[in-house]
């Protein structure tokens, strides 16, 4: 049996992982992919995210011409990385896990990036790192506010080895430079934001917002459990946990995300 | 070398050494014996060289984790002419997994910061086997900022399996502190030299890893994930750690080829654990050479080339025919 990809609903009905209720898919879609029963936030694709956050028809994509390659000639148990890339590209319609560009949020022009957790877990390899770095640099040159919405369970992408790890440093350095130019960076954390993505651009926002109940953290819950051999507390590594410990400015529901971003831009505008 | 402590591929080296030791103990003065010992020693050098010139990726990991390999504490003693330890992150505590302090290396004053793994069981537990908590990364940043205030160059010694994965670490923002360290190191106004001395484990290594020169000791490794972790995820079993180690291409020679590190510091024959003195001497010579090069430069030039250095990292393809929408003139 073909395993259904996590978070990508198929068919007319689906079971909500939050409340276990069976819900009508169309109904959830109408509500920005939020469960009508329990407000659980389902996965949304990069394209869908652009539709939800940016004003209709205003998105222009940048650096589409960048495509990933297989510098290490990496091959795991099942397939070569080059084959995996092709399969993921076909399945998602994306060339890699990040989409970047510019658009309007309630008539305010912004530089906008989003990572899609469906493409190799939304992990960051050279193309994701390069697209984000160019986005940040151009946001600095054009004096645009910068919005990056992360959905990355995979962190730094193993298949590109050390080159992926170095993207964390590259993107962070670009953000430091952008900061020095006085740029405003709003980072939005969604389910899941882990590992090398959490430990680089995602946590470096002047403002850090999170969708409710998203899994956010450095080490994966399984790794932690295997290290310390005790049960993890309930609600560990959720948005609410991070808010409580002081790492997130606001938890924002998907319905309010667009207006809150617009509002925050106005507070920090010149 | 104690046989119990030697790695499996070190066996032939160890056996030769034992024979030499035995001969030297019994009748060391007879002419025949002297000749035999000389022959064996020659053989020992050849065998050691053969083994260590052809280490597999996994064997490199074993050498990098060797329990007798010199740690930060050893280099603080053997490389620095003076060391004044500074503790604490002024926020939560004093992480034993990070050592930091002022030091003198020949004519240079520096801020030394390094991961510490510990040698005895007690030491190793106290510093979680070199896995730092958020307070460790904050401690490192606090000392770096102090150094920058007085234009004292920073030297970081990287040796960690990774940042600690635990409840407290997550509660105190492990992801946040690693990101902040990279962010601040990228613009810290003093020269930074980073040396991977053993294990360069992922984000935990990178949290001390942004600088003007990045070097590795010959038999250390620097990777996005541990070979066991990678095997567990992509091969569904830790059994494949050797295959994963090979696939990740994380040895010093590979990283030099990929342009991720600037220099490789050669280790004594048989690995750093065979001769702490000699390894320290090589490290010291390297640091002095780089300090001599960096210290006279202007800070603006250093910061700009540090940015460029990391800006270039990554491998991808780009269709030259495709053009971006034009940029809008800034106000």
């Amino acid at each position: 049996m073909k395993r259904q990809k996590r978070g990508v609903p198929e068919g007319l009905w689906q079971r909500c992982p939050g409340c276990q209720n069976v819900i009508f898919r169309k109904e959830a879609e109408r509500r920005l992919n939020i469960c009508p029963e329990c407000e659980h936030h389902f996965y949304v694709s990069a394209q869908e995210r652009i539709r939800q956050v940016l004003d209709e028809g205003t998105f222009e994509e940048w650096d589409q011409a960048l495509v990933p390659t297989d510098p290490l000639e990496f091959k795991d148990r099942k397939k070569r990385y080059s084959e995996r890339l092709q399969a993921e590209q076909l399945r998602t319609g994306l060339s890699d896990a990040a989409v970047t560009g510019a658009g309007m949020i309630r008539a305010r022009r912004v530089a906008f990036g989003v990572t899609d957790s469906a493409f190799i877990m939304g992990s960051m390899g050279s193309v994701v790192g390069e697209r984000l770095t160019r986005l940040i640099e151009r946001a600095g040159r054009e004096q645009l506010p910068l919005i990056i919405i992360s959905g990355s369970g995979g962190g730094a992408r193993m298949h590109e080895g050390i080159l992926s790890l170095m993207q964390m440093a590259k993107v962070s350095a670009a953000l430091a430079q952008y900061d020095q130019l006085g740029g405003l960076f709003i980072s939005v954390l969604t389910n899941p934001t882990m590992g090398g993505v959490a430990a680089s651009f995602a946590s470096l926002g002047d403002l850090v917002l999170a969708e409710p109940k998203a899994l956010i953290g450095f080490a994966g819950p399984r790794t932690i459990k295997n290290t310390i051999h005790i049960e993890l507390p309930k609600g560990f590594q959720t948005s609410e946990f991070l808010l409580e410990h002081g790492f997130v400015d606001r938890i924002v529901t998907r319905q309010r995300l667009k207006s809150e971003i617009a509002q925050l831009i106005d507070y920090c505008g010149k | 070398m104690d046989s119990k402590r030697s790695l499996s591929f070190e066996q032939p080296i160890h056996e030769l050494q034992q024979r030499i030791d035995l001969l030297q103990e019994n009748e060391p003065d007879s002419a025949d014996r002297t000749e035999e010992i000389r022959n064996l020693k020659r053989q020992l050098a050849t065998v050691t060289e053969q083994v260590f010139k052809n280490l597999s990726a996994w064997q490199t990991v074993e050498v990098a984790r060797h329990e007798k390999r010199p740690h930060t504490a050893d280099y603080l003693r053997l490389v620095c002419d003076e060391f004044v330890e500074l503790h604490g992150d002024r926020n939560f505590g004093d992480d034993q997994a990070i050592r930091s302090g002022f030091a003198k290396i020949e004519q240079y004053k520096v801020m030394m910061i390094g991961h510490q793994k510990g040698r005895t069981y007690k030491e190793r537990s106290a510093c979680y086997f070199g896995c730092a908590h958020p307070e460790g990364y904050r401690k490192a940043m606090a000392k770096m900022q102090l150094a920058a205030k007085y234009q004292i160059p920073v030297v970081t010694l990287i040796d960690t399996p990774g940042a600690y994965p635990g409840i407290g670490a997550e509660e105190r923002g492990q992801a946040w502190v690693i990101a902040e360290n990279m962010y601040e190191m990228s613009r810290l106004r003093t020269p930074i030299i980073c040396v991977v001395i053993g294990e360069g484990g992922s984000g935990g290594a990178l949290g001390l890893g942004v600088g003007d020169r990045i070097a590795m000791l010959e038999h250390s490794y620097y990777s996005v994930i541990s070979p066991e972790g990678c095997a567990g995820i992509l091969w569904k079993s830790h059994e494949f750690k050797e295959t994963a180690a090979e696939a990740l291409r994380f040895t010093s020679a590979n990283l030099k080829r990929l342009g991720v590190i600037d220099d490789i510091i050669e280790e004594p024959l048989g690995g750093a654990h065979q001769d702490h003195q000699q390894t320290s001497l090589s490290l010291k010579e390297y640091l002095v050479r780089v300090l001599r090069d960096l210290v006279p430069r202007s800070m603006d030039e250093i910061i700009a080339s540090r940015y460029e250095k990391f800006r270039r990292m990554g491998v991808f393809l780009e269709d030259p025919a495709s053009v971006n929408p034009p940029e809008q003139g800034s106000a």
Side-chain angles (χ1 to χ4, degrees):
Chain A
M1 200 185 85
K2 193 168 166 282
R3 186 169 65 98
Q4 195 185 323
K5 273 284 160 188
R6 194 169 6 161
V8 186
E10 280 174 310
L12 229 52
W13 299 89
Q14 67 182 109
R15 190 177 290 278
C16 169
C19 62
Q20 305 301 324
N21 279 320
V22 176
I23 55 163
F24 190 43
R25 198 163 69 91
K26 279 268 153 45
E27 174 65 17
E29 270 171 20
R30 232 189 331 271
R31 307 185 69 241
L32 308 174
N33 269 324
I34 298 171
C35 172
E37 302 289 332
C38 74
E39 299 284 303
H40 178 86
H41 285 49
F42 292 114
Y43 159 83
V44 291
S45 68
Q47 291 308 327
E48 183 58 32
R49 189 64 81 170
I50 288 165
R51 272 191 293 277
Q52 288 181 7
V53 176
L54 298 181
D55 299 344
E56 200 182 338
T58 60
F59 183 65
E60 59 176 53
E61 190 171 347
W62 294 346
D63 302 305
Q64 258 179 305
L66 297 181
V67 281
T69 173
D70 182 8
L72 305 188
E73 298 178 340
F74 192 95
K75 185 167 176 273
D76 64 28
R77 187 176 62 126
K78 284 189 182 148
K79 47 179 120 168
R80 294 177 179 286
Y81 175 50
S82 53
E83 293 163 353
R84 187 172 295 278
L85 281 171
Q86 275 185 347
E88 295 285 290
Q89 285 162 344
L90 270 172
R91 194 173 61 78
T92 61
L94 299 167
S95 59
D96 206 320
V99 179
T100 58
M104 300 283 201
I105 294 182
R106 299 213 194 287
R108 297 153 186 84
R109 187 170 154 87
V110 299
F112 183 83
V114 52
T115 62
D116 192 321
S117 65
F119 192 101
I120 317 190
M121 305 283 284
S123 56
M124 175 159 61
S126 298
V127 167
V128 173
E130 184 67 19
R131 278 198 184 136
L132 291 176
T133 303
R134 290 189 190 184
L135 175 78
I136 297 159
E137 288 178 336
R138 186 161 169 186
R141 287 196 301 272
E142 293 193 41
Q143 300 190 355
L144 294 174
L146 169 70
I147 319 295
I148 302 178
I149 303 185
S150 322
S152 297
R157 189 176 296 166
M158 290 175 283
H159 313 72
E160 292 181 31
I162 193 75
L163 296 168
S164 297
L165 192 71
M166 292 301 137
Q167 302 310 307
M168 292 166 61
K170 180 165 96 179
V171 176
S172 302
L175 284 169
Q177 210 176 55
Y178 176 73
D179 173 60
Q180 237 136 0
L181 296 170
L184 166 67
F185 172 33
I186 301 177
S187 174
V188 183
L189 315 180
T190 74
N191 187 45
T193 298
M194 299 296 291
V197 168
S200 62
F201 63 90
S203 57
L204 290 172
D206 296 295
L207 292 157
V208 181
L209 310 180
E211 285 196 338
K213 294 189 184 135
L215 179 72
I216 302 162
F218 178 67
R222 209 172 29 170
T223 309
I224 297 177
K225 230 157 106 180
N226 291 342
T227 308
I228 61 177
H229 307 293
I230 56 169
E231 278 306 305
L232 301 177
K234 201 162 178 289
F236 182 60
Q237 293 185 317
T238 57
S239 311
E240 292 72 17
F241 170 89
L242 286 164
L243 184 86
E244 188 191 325
H245 287 97
F247 293 100
V248 164
D249 288 291
R250 287 178 71 74
I251 292 177
V252 182
T253 63
R254 203 169 280 163
Q255 295 98 322
R256 297 213 18 92
L257 186 58
K258 181 171 179 168
S259 18
E260 287 230 359
I261 292 174
Q263 186 189 20
L264 292 171
I265 291 174
D266 288 347
Y267 270 103
C268 301
K270 283 174 191 147
Chain B
M1 188 171 37
D2 180 350
S3 74
K4 235 170 60 195
R5 302 266 166 99
S6 68
L7 305 167
S8 57
F9 57 86
E10 287 182 311
Q11 271 309 317
I13 301 168
H14 169 66
E15 278 163 22
L16 276 170
Q17 186 63 56
Q18 263 185 334
R19 276 171 66 192
I20 294 168
D21 291 348
L22 209 67
L23 285 174
Q24 272 171 337
E25 274 165 35
N26 310 323
E27 323 167 51
D29 295 332
S30 94
D32 288 0
R33 284 292 149 102
T34 314
E35 180 58 27
E36 200 179 340
I37 289 173
R38 200 178 298 134
N39 276 335
L40 282 174
K41 280 193 170 164
R42 222 174 285 136
Q43 228 179 312
L44 177 69
T46 320
V47 170
T48 311
E49 195 177 330
Q50 268 172 0
V51 169
F52 275 81
K53 288 291 165 208
N54 300 301
L55 288 183
S56 71
W58 175 252
Q59 287 170 338
T60 304
V61 174
E62 290 188 296
V63 175
R65 291 176 181 168
H66 198 289
E67 62 174 19
K68 287 190 169 170
R69 191 171 174 85
H71 293 160
T72 290
D74 302 305
Y75 294 122
L76 291 176
R77 198 163 37 82
L78 295 169
V79 171
C80 304
D81 303 310
E82 180 179 279
F83 177 60
V84 182
E85 181 151 18
L86 300 170
H87 296 273
D89 72 337
R90 304 285 169 80
N91 185 16
F92 182 82
D94 183 36
D95 193 337
Q96 300 301 303
I98 302 259
R99 299 278 303 268
S100 56
F102 291 123
K104 281 189 185 148
I105 300 177
E106 289 192 355
Q107 73 269 42
Y108 297 102
K109 290 189 282 187
V110 296
M111 178 64 80
M112 295 292 291
I113 298 170
H115 294 103
Q116 176 56 24
K117 283 182 160 177
R119 220 167 279 283
T120 64
Y121 182 74
K122 202 172 153 202
E123 286 168 1
R124 290 161 82 85
S125 311
C127 61
Y128 295 91
F129 300 81
C131 298
H133 278 71
E135 49 274 24
Y137 291 100
R138 289 209 178 89
K139 169 180 173 178
M141 183 41 64
K143 306 317 169 202
M144 285 190 241
Q145 278 167 340
L146 173 68
K149 186 172 172 185
Y150 301 103
Q151 301 261 299
I152 296 169
V154 171
V155 174
T156 68
L157 301 180
I158 295 166
D159 191 11
T160 178
Y164 191 73
I167 294 174
E170 297 290 324
E171 284 174 342
R172 299 195 289 280
Q174 194 70 289
W176 268 255
V177 296
I178 290 172
E180 261 159 40
N181 275 22
M182 295 185 294
Y183 187 80
E184 295 301 341
M185 286 179 92
S186 76
R187 61 181 179 186
L188 194 81
R189 293 188 69 80
T190 195
I192 306 175
I193 308 168
C194 309
V195 185
V196 183
I197 56 170
E199 295 190 83
S202 192
L206 201 49
L208 299 185
V210 176
D212 305 300
R213 288 284 189 291
I214 318 293
M216 285 171 78
L217 285 186
E218 190 182 356
H219 302 307
S220 54
Y221 80 99
Y222 193 4
S223 179
V224 64
I225 186 169
S226 72
E228 292 93 338
C230 182
I233 297 168
L234 293 181
W235 279 266
K236 311 285 175 210
S237 158
H238 290 207
E239 303 280 293
F240 290 89
K241 58 188 187 216
E242 291 170 43
T243 319
E246 211 63 56
L248 286 164
R249 300 194 195 274
F250 53 40
T251 60
S252 59
N254 275 311
L255 265 71
K256 182 102 200 313
R257 213 169 301 136
L258 289 167
V260 169
I261 60 164
D262 302 288
D263 303 291
I264 297 173
I265 301 167
E266 239 182 79
E267 293 186 23
L269 195 59
H273 57 283
Q274 295 288 6
D275 194 340
H276 289 200
Q277 296 280 355
Q278 183 55 45
T279 313
S280 302
L281 196 64
S282 306
L283 177 58
K284 184 173 188 168
E285 278 172 7
Y286 175 77
L287 292 175
V288 169
R289 182 152 51 83
V290 175
L291 285 166
R292 196 176 295 136
D293 174 30
L294 289 175
V295 167
R297 297 191 191 196
S298 85
M299 251 355 280
D300 289 340
E301 181 198 339
I302 285 180
I303 299 284
S305 52
R306 189 185 302 158
Y307 186 81
E308 269 317 301
K309 172 182 187 55
F310 285 89
R311 182 67 192 83
R312 281 193 302 269
M313 289 189 192
V315 176
F316 48 80
L317 303 173
E318 186 168 17
D319 175 9
S322 166
V323 252
N324 261 350
E327 295 197 10
Q328 304 199 342
S330 52

